[in-house]
């Protein structure tokens, strides 16, 4: 009974301490100051586990298709490359200024990390739903699934593309207004 | 009244200029609008896999671009021809 009371008092003090710290405004919330190691760890685990759980049952269509690359390339260029970069470019104002730093998708190979199917499902989910407090928007409300899968197909090839290949695949032709998919 | 309109126009122009400058601070942000198909023509594509989706997509894109250029050229010729025939017919009429 004595131990239980002590434990309850300890928990109460801990909750009050954490609550007081949060309310005090002492935590540095500026994007130019990194999170403390424990906060980084908690947020990363929260993010990765949540995405893994949400994306695990998404059926992945055939993505090795030139038409999907042609549809997804210009969208990537206009919607994503400002943060996630393009071949021949190592940083941008957004990639330097955002915290957490957006992954450089020209070098970051999700397939290596998660396997081909899971990587595609994760990318689809992230593009569609976005990630809270990271700067990654949810494109789902304004883009249908077919258009998002086209971007995922393009992402699968992006780490292998040269600057010329990227330029040709992402340039909108004269007939391509960007809205007909 | 006209002074007010002039002021409004000047203000709009300055705002447009400021917006353009602030959005265009890095020239790299401006993307080329047309695919660089001339560079693709210079590439030795004989060694590449024609079934590779990336190569297929590039060839398709440049083929579409070529068709669009051809169509534009045809349209320009049609317009130029119609101008010529208009001029010819008016010249004949005046004679």
């Amino acid at each position: 009974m004595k131990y239980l009371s002590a434990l309850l008092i300890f928990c109460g003090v801990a909750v009050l301490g954490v609550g007081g710290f949060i309310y005090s405004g002492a935590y540095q919330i500026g994007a130019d100051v990194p999170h403390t190691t424990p906060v980084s760890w908690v947020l990363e685990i929260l993010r990765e586990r949540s995405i893994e759980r949400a994306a695990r049952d998404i059926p992945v269509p055939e993505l090795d298709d030139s038409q999907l690359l042609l549809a997804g390339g210009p969208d990537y260029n206009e919607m994503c490359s400002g943060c996630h970069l393009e071949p021949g470019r190592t940083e941008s104002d957004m990639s330097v200024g955002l915290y957490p730093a957006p992954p450089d998708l020209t070098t970051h190979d999700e397939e290596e990390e998660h396997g081909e199917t899971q990587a595609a499902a994760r990318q689809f989910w992230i593009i569609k739903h976005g990630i809270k407090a990271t700067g990654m928007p949810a494109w789902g409300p304004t883009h249908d699934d077919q258009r998002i899968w086209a971007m995922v197909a393009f992402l699968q090839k992006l780490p292998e593309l040269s600057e010329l290949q990227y330029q040709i695949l992402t340039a909108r032709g004269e007939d391509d207004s960007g809205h007909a998919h | 009244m006209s002074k007010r309109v002039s002021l409004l126009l000047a203000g709009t122009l300055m705002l447009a200029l400021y917006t353009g400058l602030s959005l265009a601070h890095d020239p790299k942000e401006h993307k080329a609008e047309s695919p660089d198909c001339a560079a693709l023509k210079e590439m030795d594509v004989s060694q590449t896999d024609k079934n590779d989706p990336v190569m297929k997509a590039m060839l398709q894109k440049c083929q579409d671009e070529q068709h669009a250029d051809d169509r534009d050229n045809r349209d320009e010729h049609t317009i130029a021809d119609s101008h010529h025939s208009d001029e010819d017919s008016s010249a004949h009429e005046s004679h």
Side-chain angles (χ1 to χ4, degrees), chain A residues 64-67 69-70 74 77 81 86 89 93 157 161 164-165 167-169 171-176, chain B residues 25-26 28-29 31-36 39-40 43 53-54 56-58 60-62 65 68-69 71-72:
Chain A
D64 223 14
D65 180 340
S66 57
Q67 291 304 316
L69 296 180
L70 287 174
N77 193 39
S81 68
E86 61 190 70
R89 198 167 184 202
D93 291 353
K157 301 291 179 196
L161 295 183
L164 174 64
Q165 288 172 321
Q167 198 280 333
I168 292 175
L169 291 181
R172 289 207 186 274
E174 289 179 27
D175 291 339
D176 187 357
Chain B
H25 67 285
D26 182 354
K28 282 185 179 169
E29 296 293 339
K31 315 289 181 190
E33 285 180 4
S34 298
D36 187 5
L40 182 64
M43 266 175 66
V54 172
K56 274 170 81 173
M58 287 167 71
Q60 172 82 50
K61 173 82 98 180
C62 287
E65 195 66 9
D69 285 348
R71 199 180 53 232
D72 288 349

Side-chain angles (χ1 to χ4, degrees), chain A residues 39-147:
Chain A
V39 173
S40 281
W41 182 81
V42 168
L43 290 177
E44 197 175 323
I45 296 282
L46 185 74
R47 185 187 68 219
E48 290 305 310
R49 290 292 303 139
S50 176
I51 294 170
E52 195 178 317
R53 187 167 184 268
R56 71 180 165 206
D57 294 326
I58 296 175
V60 178
E62 174 61 46
L63 297 173
D64 223 14
D65 180 340
S66 57
Q67 291 304 316
L68 285 178
L69 296 180
L70 287 174
D75 274 350
Y76 175 84
N77 193 39
E78 287 157 16
M79 292 152 54
C80 318
S81 68
C83 300
H84 297 292
L85 304 174
E86 61 190 70
R89 198 167 184 202
T90 55
E91 62 178 36
S92 67
D93 291 353
M94 297 295 276
S95 74
V96 171
L98 277 174
Y99 183 83
D104 176 355
L105 296 181
T106 65
T107 55
H108 182 76
D109 199 342
E110 283 249 328
E111 281 181 29
E112 247 177 48
E113 218 172 299
H114 302 282
E116 193 177 334
T117 310
Q118 190 57 24
R122 279 172 58 87
Q123 286 170 336
F124 176 82
W125 189 90
I126 292 168
I127 295 170
K128 184 167 179 171
H129 298 282
I131 303 176
K132 286 184 177 78
T134 62
M136 177 66 200
W139 295 104
T142 49
H143 295 71
D144 62 24
D145 284 4
Q146 175 64 21
R147 199 163 170 186

Side-chain angles (χ1 to χ4, degrees), chain B:
Chain B
M1 182 67 185
S2 63
K3 198 177 174 185
R4 228 183 243 180
V5 172
S6 306
L7 274 171
L8 191 68
L9 278 173
T12 310
L13 191 68
M14 281 173 73
L15 186 66
L17 194 66
Y18 170 74
T19 311
L21 285 174
S22 56
L23 289 176
H25 67 285
D26 182 354
K28 282 185 179 169
E29 296 293 339
H30 298 280
K31 315 289 181 190
E33 285 180 4
S34 298
D36 187 5
C37 294
L40 182 64
K41 279 177 194 163
E42 287 165 17
M43 266 175 66
D44 180 16
V45 291
S46 60
Q47 303 295 318
T48 56
D49 178 8
K50 294 275 195 321
N51 290 320
D52 170 35
V54 172
M55 183 49 75
K56 274 170 81 173
M58 287 167 71
L59 292 171
Q60 172 82 50
K61 173 82 98 180
C62 287
Q63 208 173 20
D64 291 349
E65 195 66 9
Q66 185 63 48
H67 286 163
D69 285 348
D70 290 347
R71 199 180 53 232
D72 288 349
N73 287 340
R74 267 203 310 275
D75 289 348
E76 274 172 25
H77 280 298
T78 312
I79 292 166
D81 288 346
S82 68
H83 274 300
H84 280 304
S85 58
D86 285 349
E87 282 168 13
D88 287 346
S89 59
S90 53
H92 279 297
E93 277 167 18
S94 64
H95 283 284

